[in-house]
């Protein structure tokens, strides 16, 4: 009988193999089509739904430890709050004297990280908020610690965030103390450098690094990190000021996306 | 194990890989939870099943992950088929099929993923492959070896 012949099975195996390879290659070449991208966004939303129980179970283990830590933080914040209330009142009086306009607060969308797709050097995270919640491509993403990155793809209920890991873009930053401006770039695993600094610029280890607000993505004065190493500058094109971001990109849980509004359209996206 | 059970395990592994993969990351090494499954199917089932499962798992991984549609499906189809064919028909008899297949498949998968990443983002392939791809392949192999110790693991006798 033909179907029981080993030769027939061998041919069938190769046929199915080439069919799978051909189908994969076709998808690979057509993967950037808008319809394919849209379909992928929809499945990302499905992934968000499917992964939610796993993430909830994981976080339940951390709740008690987190609660204790939060109580201590709340106590410290209460003291700080009292000091800041005085400072705010004083600031308001001085701004009124100088006729300065108050800065608008950023409209924030809370979201949870539901996945870390792709290789580590890709630096991508999947979050459970998308178009329906007001997230847009290029929306800035941050945590209480500091800047995380920006949204690069949105689906209906999920979005893909490109963190500062990976050299997909640079962030216009300044040194808080000396107001020196440069472009922060990923230089390799665990290493970020600020490019565009002159050799005589005043930068020291321990300086705080903030966003400048130039461009159209990141608002001004978001904490980014701290200068952790300053090398003697040799080539001005090479970053000599090394920076350690505040955010631990592989341990992200809750994040905030700055909703796109007319008033927040100030920052950058350096190619 | 029935095909339905295998399909359920495959889907669970894809979801776990997307949701937990990042949390299991150590340094630059990110393990794949689905690759050992594809190698297991290749070594324990027929080439046809290996291709079908490899393609399906890879496609799901592409749909939920960040690589272009078809990239992981292509890699896993080839890996599943190669494992099954080499193990069942080739004159090559590996001393330790599970471990050797895992390491070779891990390296091939990481090389392909980082090649695509390098082409798409302007990274230089070799430094990134050496710093992230190789450790990830080793990590995946280590995780896979834990499965080797579990009762689920059965490589068919040749």
């Amino acid at each position: 009988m033909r179907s029981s012949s080993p030769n027939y099975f061998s041919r069938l195996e190769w046929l199915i193999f080439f069919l799978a390879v051909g189908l994969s290659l076709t998808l690979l070449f057509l993967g950037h089509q808008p319809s394919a991208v849209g379909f992928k966004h929809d499945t990302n939303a499905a992934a968000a739904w499917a992964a939610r129980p796993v993430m909830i179970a994981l976080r339940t283990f951390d709740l008690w430890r987190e609660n204790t830590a939060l109580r201590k933080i709340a106590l410290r914040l209460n003291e700080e709050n009292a000091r800041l209330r005085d400072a705010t009142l004083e600031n308001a009086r001085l701004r009124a004297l100088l006729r300065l306009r108050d800065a608008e607060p950023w409209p924030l969308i809370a979201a949870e990280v539901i996945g870390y797709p792709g290789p580590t050097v890709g630096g991508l995270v999947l979050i459970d908020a998308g178009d329906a919640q007001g997230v847009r491509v290029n929306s800035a993403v941050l945590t209480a610690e500091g800047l995380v990155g920006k949204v690069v793809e949105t689906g209906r209920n999920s979005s893909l965030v490109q963190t500062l890991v990976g050299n997909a873009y640079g962030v216009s930053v300044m040194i808080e103390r000396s107001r020196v401006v440069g472009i922060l770039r990923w230089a390799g695993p665990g290493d970020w450098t600020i490019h565009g600094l002159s050799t005589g610029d005043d930068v020291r280890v321990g300086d705080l690094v903030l966003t400048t607000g130039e461009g159209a993505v990141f608002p001004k004065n978001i904490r980014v990190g701290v200068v952790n190493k300053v090398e003697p500058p040799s080539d001005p094109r090479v970053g000599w000021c090394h920076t350690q971001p505040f955010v631990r990109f592989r341990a992200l849980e809750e994040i905030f996306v700055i909703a796109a509004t007319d008033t927040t359209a100030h920052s950058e996206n350096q190619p | 194990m029935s095909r339905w059970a295998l399909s359920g395990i495959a889907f669970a592994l894809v979801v776990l890989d997307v949701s937990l993969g990042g949390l299991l990351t150590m340094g630059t090494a990110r393990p794949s939870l689905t690759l050992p499954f594809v190698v297991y199917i290749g070594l324990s089932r027929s080439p046809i099943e290996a291709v079908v499962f490899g393609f399906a798992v890879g496609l799901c991984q592409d749909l939920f992950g960040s690589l272009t549609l078809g990239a992981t499906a292509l890699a896993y189809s080839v890996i599943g088929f190669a494992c099954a064919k080499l193990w069942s028909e080739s004159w090559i008899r590996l001393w330790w099929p599970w471990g050797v297949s895992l390491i070779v498949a891990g390296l091939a998968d990481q090389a392909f993923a980082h090649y695509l990443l390098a082409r798409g983002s302007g990274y230089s392939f070799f430094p990134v492959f050496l710093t992230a791809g190789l450790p990830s392949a080793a990590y995946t192999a280590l995780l896979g070896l834990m499965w080797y110790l579990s009762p689920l693991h059965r490589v068919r006798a040749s």
Side-chain angles (χ1 to χ4, degrees), chain B residues 19-38:
Chain B
S19 57
L20 288 184
L23 299 178
L24 294 175
T25 299
M26 290 199 313
T28 55
R30 184 188 196 281
S32 167
L33 302 182
T34 49
L35 184 71
F37 176 79
V38 174

Side-chain angles (χ1 to χ4, degrees), chain A residues 9-10 12-14 16-17 19-25 27-29 31-32 36-37 39-40 43-44 46-47 50-51 54-55 58 114-124 126 160 162 165-168 186 189 250-252, chain B residues 11 15-23 25-30 46-48 51-52 55 59 62-71 73-75 77-78 81-82 85 89 110 112-114 116-117 121-123 128 131-132 136:
Chain A
F9 271 117
S10 181
L12 188 64
E13 285 163 12
W14 282 102
I16 290 174
F17 172 65
L19 203 66
V21 169
L23 205 55
S24 303
L25 286 172
L27 286 170
L28 200 56
F29 292 126
H32 297 293
V37 173
F39 181 62
K40 200 172 166 180
T43 54
N44 276 344
V54 179
M55 302 307 283
L58 272 178
I114 51 170
Y116 295 83
T120 47
V121 287
L124 292 165
L126 188 65
L160 207 54
Q162 174 68 59
V165 178
N167 62 357
W186 183 75
R250 287 191 298 273
L252 291 169
Chain B
F11 183 75
V15 171
L16 285 174
D17 192 273
V18 172
S19 57
L20 288 184
L23 299 178
T25 299
M26 290 199 313
T28 55
R30 184 188 196 281
S46 69
I48 292 177
V51 172
V52 171
F55 179 78
L59 191 61
D62 288 331
L63 285 170
F64 296 158
S66 62
L67 286 180
T68 315
L69 271 182
L74 177 62
S77 301
V78 173
F81 188 72
K85 270 288 190 192
E89 291 180 14
Q110 289 296 325
F112 186 56
H114 283 84
L116 288 179
L117 197 72
S121 63
Y123 294 130
V128 168
T131 53
S136 298

Side-chain angles (χ1 to χ4, degrees), chain A:
Chain A
M1 214 169 113
R2 189 169 170 264
S3 63
S4 62
S5 152
N7 194 28
Y8 170 76
F9 271 117
S10 181
R11 270 191 224 155
L12 188 64
E13 285 163 12
W14 282 102
L15 184 70
I16 290 174
F17 172 65
F18 284 118
L19 203 66
V21 169
L23 205 55
S24 303
L25 286 172
T26 309
L27 286 170
L28 200 56
F29 292 126
L30 299 177
H32 297 293
Q33 300 280 330
S35 55
V37 173
F39 181 62
K40 200 172 166 180
H41 286 163
D42 290 342
T43 54
N44 276 344
W49 176 81
R52 189 174 280 273
V54 179
M55 302 307 283
I56 288 172
L58 272 178
R59 280 169 199 169
T60 306
F61 287 110
D62 287 336
L63 274 181
W64 290 109
R65 189 169 46 83
E66 202 172 274
N67 190 37
T68 312
L70 284 175
R71 280 171 191 276
K72 288 178 187 166
I73 291 172
L75 205 66
R76 206 179 63 233
L77 287 178
N78 268 341
E79 296 166 13
E80 197 175 327
N81 204 18
R83 264 190 304 112
L84 287 176
R85 202 178 299 121
D86 290 342
T88 305
L89 290 171
E90 185 183 352
N91 187 36
R93 284 197 304 276
L94 293 173
R95 290 185 80 89
L97 285 172
L98 294 169
R99 297 175 193 283
L100 288 175
R101 189 168 65 88
D102 282 340
E104 293 291 330
W106 304 317
L108 296 175
I109 300 163
E112 289 185 9
V113 172
I114 51 170
Y116 295 83
T120 47
V121 287
L124 292 165
V125 293
L126 188 65
I127 61 171
D128 69 347
D131 286 330
Q133 288 76 32
V135 177
R136 300 286 179 266
V137 169
N138 277 341
S139 293
V141 178
L142 51 146
T143 65
E145 285 78 35
L147 184 66
V148 172
K150 66 174 184 176
V151 175
V152 289
E153 281 182 25
T154 58
R156 183 160 171 73
N157 290 304
S158 67
S159 304
L160 207 54
V161 174
Q162 174 68 59
T163 62
L164 298 182
V165 178
N167 62 357
Y169 58 92
V171 180
S172 177
V173 294
M174 65 178 169
I175 304 297
E176 186 197 37
R177 183 179 54 78
S178 58
R179 318 306 280 181
V180 171
V181 173
I183 302 293
L184 181 78
R185 284 191 181 283
W186 183 75
D191 189 20
W192 287 261
T193 55
I194 301 178
H195 293 242
L197 298 175
S198 302
T199 50
D201 282 341
D202 181 11
V203 182
R204 295 177 201 160
V205 171
D207 278 347
L208 189 63
V209 180
L210 306 172
T211 55
T212 62
E214 290 175 16
V217 181
F218 304 111
K220 191 177 179 180
N221 283 337
I222 297 178
R223 285 154 46 94
V224 177
V226 65
V227 175
N228 63 348
K229 188 176 168 192
V230 178
E231 290 174 340
S234 50
D235 183 348
R237 290 168 299 180
V238 178
W240 47 270
C241 168
H242 297 262
T243 304
Q244 179 60 52
F246 290 121
V247 174
R248 290 175 61 219
F249 297 103
R250 287 191 298 273
L252 291 169
E253 290 185 4
E254 290 86 14
I255 53 101
F256 296 98
V257 182
I258 298 182
T261 66
D262 293 340
T263 55
T264 55
H266 40 220
S267 316
E268 95 295 11
N269 183 20
Q270 308 291 340

